Amino acid sequence: FLSISSADVLRDIVYGDTREVWFSPSGWYNDAGDVEREIHPGMAMHIVSSWILAYNLLNLVTSYCSVAWAHEENMPPLSSTPSTTQFEYKAIHGLPELKGTRQNAGKPKHFPHGLPPELTKDLLLDHVSDRWRNETSAMQSCHATGPTENQTNRCIFSLVTGRFTKKMENETYVQELLSQHVTSNEGWSWNNDHDKLGFVPEKLGAEFILDFPSSMIKQSINVVTPISMKSYGERWKDSNVKITIVKRRPINEGEGDWVDVTTSDVAGSHAKNTSEIFPHEILIPSGGVNVGEDLRITMNLTAGSTFKLVGLAI
């Protein structure tokens, strides 16, 4: 869908000097200097509008004709995450080669595919991009690879508190979902301060254990993604949680030996005066957790006085 607006092109010029008459109506001000109603701009605006229309139509045609699939007989579907070259200009179908080779600095990245952050008084220009990308990454972490044959779920477990889905807005549902896998809890509880629900340690050394039996693991698990809130202030200073991942293969339906897989430290504070959500991808080495093995995740507050876990994807 093509949208063309001469007003968007000229707005800053006109707002910067409303007495100019190239692009603004010459009758805005009368001889006495008073503002009067006038909606008809002069010749210059009509010339600019013609150039804007011509440029956008040319840009539309050249952009379409130069995409990689335009000259193919069978057009494949566009990638859900376009590559950096997918929509770049290409000198095909008689289009001329570009004369310049200089690349302008500061090219914007492709915007995230998730919903932008909720517009609140805490949302600032200096962190809106990071929050949008982090929240999108958190939601997509369990979709990193496509499903294989006979595979229906890309995650064996996923939870993100907040307004991401209707179910996750329900605090009772979220708490029960996690509690199904908590087999040991010494000092962690749910907290909803500032309307941000999360699982929070009550003291230094607080620890809880999550168990995921082999009956749930229908595919190899190669990454675990805890999602936490980072904040600031004295309560959050030096906050750190140690995450330990172990696995075991049950012997004749009995208990086998737990094998350490990996550990990771996740900080709960940062150097900005904001409270933001961050995903933390923990890669599982040596082939990951395989089908038929049990998975156990332990989280322990090793420094600081608080931390907030707001989600987990496996």
Side-chain angles (χ1 to χ4, degrees):
F1 181 77
L2 178 64
S3 176
I4 299 174
S5 172
S6 60
D8 287 343
V9 176
L10 302 176
R11 182 174 290 109
D12 289 347
I13 299 174
V14 173
Y15 283 1
D17 180 14
T18 56
R19 294 181 180 273
E20 61 83 28
V21 293
W22 282 22
F23 308 110
S24 308
S26 59
W28 268 357
Y29 297 89
N30 59 24
D31 293 339
D34 298 325
V35 178
E36 293 185 350
R37 180 180 176 84
E38 177 58 69
I39 62 173
H40 297 100
M43 179 182 66
M45 191 283 302
H46 292 85
I47 294 175
V48 169
S49 296
S50 299
W51 277 106
I52 292 172
L53 180 63
Y55 168 80
N56 279 277
L57 290 176
L58 178 62
N59 184 62
L60 175 67
V61 172
T62 55
S63 295
Y64 176 82
C65 292
S66 62
V67 292
W69 41 259
H71 60 283
E72 296 180 3
E73 182 177 351
N74 298 314
M75 183 187 303
L78 292 179
S79 168
S80 59
T81 52
S83 66
T84 56
T85 60
Q86 189 171 0
F87 296 106
E88 291 182 356
Y89 179 88
K90 296 180 178 61
I92 58 177
H93 300 306
L95 294 174
E97 295 283 351
L98 296 179
K99 294 182 179 180
T101 58
R102 183 175 64 88
Q103 297 292 324
N104 291 329
K107 180 179 179 180
K109 299 177 181 178
H110 196 282
F111 59 83
H113 289 280
L115 293 175
E118 185 178 3
L119 185 59
T120 66
K121 64 180 181 180
D122 298 323
L123 185 65
L124 303 177
L125 187 63
D126 58 358
H127 64 254
V128 62
S129 297
D130 289 339
R131 282 190 58 179
W132 191 0
R133 294 184 182 279
N134 288 332
E135 291 178 6
T136 298
S137 177
M139 292 300 295
Q140 294 180 339
S141 62
C142 60
H143 300 282
T145 58
T148 58
E149 186 178 359
N150 299 324
Q151 178 180 331
T152 57
N153 296 317
R154 297 180 183 177
C155 285
I156 67 164
F157 179 86
S158 61
L159 178 152
V160 182
T161 66
R163 299 181 179 89
F164 292 101
T165 68
K166 196 67 178 177
K167 284 185 176 180
M168 295 302 173
E169 289 183 18
N170 187 316
E171 293 186 19
T172 301
Y173 173 82
V174 170
Q175 295 176 21
E176 290 180 351
L177 181 61
L178 188 68
S179 65
Q180 294 174 13
H181 300 281
V182 175
T183 54
S184 175
N185 183 5
E186 298 180 4
W188 285 69
S189 61
W190 288 98
N191 183 293
N192 196 24
D193 59 330
H194 301 289
D195 198 31
K196 295 179 180 178
L197 180 65
F199 207 39
V200 176
E202 300 170 352
K203 60 183 179 179
L204 185 65
E207 179 180 281
F208 76 97
I209 296 174
L210 295 169
D211 277 330
F212 300 90
S214 57
S215 59
M216 289 184 61
I217 300 178
K218 306 299 183 182
Q219 62 198 49
S220 295
I221 306 298
N222 299 304
V223 60
V224 171
T225 307
I227 305 163
S228 68
M229 186 180 80
K230 288 189 177 183
S231 194
Y232 63 101
E234 197 62 32
R235 286 181 58 220
W236 297 84
K237 183 179 179 181
D238 300 325
S239 170
N240 187 86
V241 160
K242 182 178 181 180
I243 300 176
T244 303
I245 300 174
V246 298
K247 66 178 181 179
R248 72 175 179 182
R249 178 172 291 278
I251 302 173
N252 297 326
E253 304 300 326
E255 294 186 358
D257 294 327
W258 288 104
V259 178
D260 289 342
V261 176
T262 188
T263 60
S264 180
D265 288 296
V266 177
S269 64
H270 59 180
K272 295 190 290 184
N273 293 338
T274 58
S275 297
E276 302 177 34
I277 305 300
F278 290 89
H280 312 276
E281 285 195 350
I282 303 176
L283 300 180
I284 301 178
S286 304
V289 178
N290 299 308
V291 175
E293 293 179 326
D294 295 329
L295 168 65
R296 172 172 287 179
I297 301 171
T298 302
M299 299 192 187
N300 185 295
L301 182 68
T302 57
S305 58
T306 192
F307 186 88
K308 181 170 282 190
L309 180 74
V310 300
L312 179 65
I314 303 174

